Amino acid sequence: MENQRIRVSKAMLKEALLKLLQKEDLGRITVAQLCDAAQINRTTFYKYYGSTYDLLAEIENDLFEELKETLNNSSLSEKDMLTCNITFL
């Protein structure tokens, strides 16, 4: 289980990557740029990830897990879920 410090570091890295992706392609984002934007040491980055692609994969996995949890707790019918007949507020 991750402690608070690890969760905060990872959250800062994820947020920084998402901001950088608004301006730059993933292949052009360096670990140094990412760490500078997140105000995290490169050693800390490499403690948890091998590359920016690994970080993006974790962001994607987090998103899918959140979607899965939302759908499992939803009162929508399976048909509505499959056909995306969802009304967003």
Side-chain angles (χ1 to χ4, degrees), residues 7-62:
R7 285 191 301 271
V8 169
S9 295
K10 285 185 169 187
M12 291 171 67
L13 286 165
K14 290 173 185 179
E15 183 178 328
L17 181 59
L18 293 174
K19 285 183 181 179
L20 288 171
L21 284 171
Q22 293 176 0
K23 303 173 192 170
E24 199 72 60
D25 292 333
L26 181 62
R28 297 181 62 105
I29 297 172
T30 66
V31 171
Q33 286 174 305
L34 178 60
C35 291
D36 186 49
Q39 298 180 345
I40 297 283
N41 189 298
R42 283 179 42 187
T43 305
T44 301
F45 173 87
Y46 284 116
K47 186 175 183 178
Y48 307 118
Y49 306 104
S51 70
T52 54
Y53 293 94
D54 294 339
L55 175 56
L56 181 61
E58 186 169 294
I59 292 170
E60 291 170 346
N61 288 336
D62 291 348

Side-chain angles (χ1 to χ4, degrees), residues 71 77-86:
L71 291 175
S77 71
E78 289 181 15
K79 178 183 175 192
D80 285 341
M81 284 188 236
L82 291 173
T83 59
C84 297
N85 290 332
I86 302 170

